[in-house]
């Protein structure tokens, strides 16, 4: 859009007495967005923008949020609100201050008054703000009640309801768990109506069929949590090639399961940040992940998150030694005795399986090979004389001479 040479840009005219009436920043911003809608070619000083448009102009979320600033401007005399039922609300912007105005008419007069009599000027501005507070007081009470009700509703939705025992309903047995009483004669079958004496029920094998935390010797997980700084230190100590791979796979940040795994190692295994960082660096090299990712002949890494879990997770000690760190005791810096014991047992079991037993092995008899067939030799004919033989030879000769 071209601008003609020598022409003035559009601007908004705001009387100086309005800027010195005691309005704060947001109230002045609302007045400015009202004044920029005036048509200076006419004598009308009334505008009617919607509250939604005013709220959007000054960066508020809801149209109702602009109402306190409009009421404050009306209390200061800067605007006059014309609201009628069924009609659009309009706002009149007087050109001159209201009747009985005792404040400065321009900025020069306000500066001279503040310089010559600062106490009186400060008292006058306090009176102006008192008018605003008085106009807003009825609405402030309603607003505080509405906010407190909303907070109470959100709090009740976040907190689960705790059932209150009224003494009329008896506990119902729904499985293997039995209701635990708190009387003094819990183990006496004859004392069914024994009252409680305030002592806690047993937590050994008699409480809830021995399924309590004290019966198992384990504490409730999640009581102690790791500090955010410790989690951040471990995340920053991830090997750089793996961290770059994770950044490509998870551009918005690692999942919550990573923090939970690190917290479990720091709290449950009682490891320090330095020990966990040393574990990740050692496994990154010893487990061959560095060669797989960086070497030309490496197999590569399919999922970086799985490799990170292997680097951080607890040592797989065969003897469940809490101080075992990949086969070495972290306190004595020697081989884990439980791992060595389990290794010797596995070797002994393998030797027993490979050792031949003392029983003789049955040997099958070889199958005899049949002899080749030899036709039986026929002997001389019995009962034939020499003459008969001669006739037979002659018959053979005659048969041989016949044409075929």
């Amino acid at each position: 859009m071209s601008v003609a040479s020598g022409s003035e840009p559009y601007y908004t005219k705001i009387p100086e007495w309005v800027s010195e009436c005691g309005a704060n920043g947001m109230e002045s911003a609302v007045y400015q967005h009202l004044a920029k809608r005036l048509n200076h070619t006419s004598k009308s000083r009334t505008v009617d923008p919607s509250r939604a448009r005013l709220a959007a102009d000054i960066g508020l979320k809801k149209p109702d949020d602009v109402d306190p600033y409009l009421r404050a401007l009306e209390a200061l005399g800067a605007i006059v609100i014309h609201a009628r039922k069924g009609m659009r609300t309009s706002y009149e912007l007087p050109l001159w201050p209201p009747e009985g105005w005792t404040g400065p008419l321009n900025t020069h007069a306000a500066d001279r008054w503040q310089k010559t009599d600062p106490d009186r000027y400060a008292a006058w501005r306090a009176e102006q703000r008192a008018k605003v507070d008085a106009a807003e007081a009825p609405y402030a009470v309603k607003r505080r009640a509405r906010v407190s009700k909303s907070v109470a509703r959100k709090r009740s939705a976040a907190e689960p309801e705790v059932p209150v025992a009224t003494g009329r309903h008896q506990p119902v047995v729904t499985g293997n768990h039995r209701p635990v009483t708190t009387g003094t004669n819990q183990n006496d079958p004859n004392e069914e109506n024994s009252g409680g004496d305030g002592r806690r029920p047993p937590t050994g094998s008699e409480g809830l069929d021995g399924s309590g935390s004290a019966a198992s010797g384990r504490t409730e997980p999640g009581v102690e949590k790791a500090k955010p700084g410790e989690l951040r230190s471990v995340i920053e100590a991830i090997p750089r090639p793996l961290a770059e791979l994770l950044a490509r796979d998870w551009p918005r940040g690692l999942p919550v399961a990573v923090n939970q795994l690190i917290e479990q190692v720091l709290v449950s295994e009682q490891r320090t940040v330095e020990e966990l960082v040393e574990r990740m660096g050692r496994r990154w090299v010893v487990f061959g992940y560095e060669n797989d990712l960086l070497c030309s002949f490496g197999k590569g890494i399919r999922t970086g998150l799985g490799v990170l879990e292997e680097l951080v997770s607890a040592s797989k000690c065969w003897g469940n030694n809490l101080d075992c760190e990949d086969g070495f005791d972290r306190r004595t810096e020697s081989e884990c005795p439980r791992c060595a014991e389990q290794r010797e047992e596995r070797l002994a079991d393998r030797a027993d399986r490979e050792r031949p037993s003392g029983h003789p092995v049955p040997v099958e008899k070889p199958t005899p090979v049949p002899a080749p067939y030899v036709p039986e030799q026929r002997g001389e004919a019995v009962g034939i004389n020499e003459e008969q033989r001669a006739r037979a030879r002659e018959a053979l000769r005659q048969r041989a001479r016949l044409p075929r």
Side-chain angles (χ1 to χ4, degrees):
M1 179 179 180
S2 60
V3 180
S5 176
S7 62
E8 293 185 358
Y10 295 99
Y11 57 91
T12 301
K13 297 180 181 179
I14 298 178
E16 292 189 11
W17 69 269
V18 175
S19 61
E20 300 297 338
C21 69
N24 59 20
M26 291 296 293
E27 296 162 0
S28 300
V30 173
Y31 186 91
Q32 177 185 355
H33 286 284
L34 289 173
K36 72 180 183 181
R37 290 175 168 82
L38 288 173
N39 186 3
H40 296 285
T41 59
S42 65
K43 296 183 179 179
S44 175
R45 300 285 300 177
T46 303
V47 294
D48 57 350
S50 64
R51 295 184 304 154
R53 181 59 187 273
L54 287 176
D57 288 344
I58 59 179
L60 298 177
K61 295 182 178 180
K62 297 184 296 184
D64 295 342
D65 295 339
V66 79
D67 291 343
Y69 308 117
L70 293 173
R71 289 191 291 264
L73 291 174
E74 186 178 30
L76 295 173
I79 64 173
V80 178
I81 301 177
H82 299 284
R84 289 177 294 178
K85 186 175 181 181
M87 301 292 292
R88 189 183 183 93
T89 302
S90 60
Y91 308 94
E92 181 182 358
L93 282 67
L95 188 60
W96 297 99
E99 185 178 357
W101 177 259
T102 59
L105 295 178
N106 51 54
T107 303
H108 179 68
D111 293 341
R112 186 172 64 251
W113 187 9
Q114 185 179 10
K115 184 177 181 180
T116 57
D117 194 357
D119 296 337
R120 181 70 187 96
Y121 179 76
W124 176 80
R125 290 187 65 89
E127 292 176 1
Q128 292 292 98
R129 299 311 304 177
K131 296 178 182 178
V132 175
D133 296 339
E136 191 63 24
Y139 302 94
V141 174
K142 297 180 180 179
R143 185 168 55 253
R144 284 195 297 268
R146 185 170 61 252
V147 170
S148 61
K149 184 177 180 180
S150 176
V151 171
R153 183 170 59 253
K154 293 180 180 179
R155 186 178 301 171
S156 61
E159 296 178 356
E161 295 184 0
V162 179
V164 179
T166 58
R168 293 177 298 176
H169 302 283
Q170 297 296 328
V172 180
V173 180
T174 58
N176 297 328
H177 299 286
R178 300 190 302 271
V180 180
T181 59
T182 56
T184 56
N185 299 322
Q186 298 183 29
N187 299 325
D188 190 355
N190 297 325
E191 295 293 333
E192 297 180 356
N193 299 325
S194 58
D197 60 352
R199 293 185 295 182
R200 298 178 61 185
T203 56
S205 59
E206 297 178 358
L208 292 180
D209 285 350
S211 60
S213 60
S216 59
R218 295 173 295 184
T219 57
E220 185 71 15
V223 176
E224 184 180 357
K225 294 185 178 181
K227 298 179 181 179
E230 296 176 345
L231 301 177
R232 191 180 307 110
S233 300
V234 176
I235 295 297
E236 294 175 354
I238 297 176
R240 184 173 299 276
L242 180 59
E244 295 176 356
L245 180 62
L246 291 172
R248 292 195 299 267
D249 295 341
W250 303 86
R252 297 186 178 181
L254 296 176
V256 183
V258 175
N259 289 339
Q260 295 176 352
L261 179 61
I262 296 174
E263 186 175 16
Q264 180 181 2
V265 174
L266 295 177
V267 177
S268 301
E269 295 187 49
Q270 300 177 1
R271 295 296 195 269
T272 62
V273 176
E274 292 75 12
E275 291 175 342
L276 184 53
V277 170
E278 190 273 336
R279 173 192 292 180
M280 290 194 302
R282 182 184 66 254
R283 292 181 178 180
W284 173 250
V285 178
V286 174
F287 287 8
Y289 295 125
E290 185 178 22
N291 292 334
D292 291 340
L293 184 61
L294 301 180
C295 292
S296 58
F297 56 84
K299 300 181 295 183
I301 294 178
R302 181 176 300 178
T303 57
L305 193 62
V307 173
L308 179 60
E309 182 179 358
E310 289 293 331
L311 298 181
V312 177
S313 59
S315 300
K316 298 177 177 60
C317 179
W318 291 93
N320 295 329
N321 183 12
L322 188 61
D323 295 329
C324 178
E325 189 67 32
D326 294 339
F328 289 88
D329 197 306
R330 66 187 183 97
R331 299 187 183 276
T332 60
E333 297 182 358
S334 59
E335 187 178 7
C336 175
R338 298 186 182 180
C339 289
E341 181 181 355
Q342 290 292 330
R343 184 176 62 255
E344 293 176 358
E345 292 181 0
R346 292 198 310 273
L347 292 176
D349 294 341
R350 183 183 302 175
D352 292 339
R353 291 194 300 268
E354 295 177 354
R355 184 182 302 113
S357 60
H359 300 282
V361 179
V363 179
E364 297 182 358
K365 294 182 179 180
T367 304
V369 180
Y373 174 77
V374 178
E376 184 180 357
Q377 298 293 333
R378 294 185 179 182
E380 294 292 336
V382 180
I384 299 177
N385 54 20
E386 190 64 28
E387 184 181 359
Q388 292 176 344
R389 290 192 185 96
R391 285 200 300 269
R393 284 194 295 266
E394 185 63 26
L396 290 175
R397 291 193 199 97
Q398 292 296 333
R399 188 179 301 172
R401 294 193 187 102
L402 293 176
R404 296 182 180 180

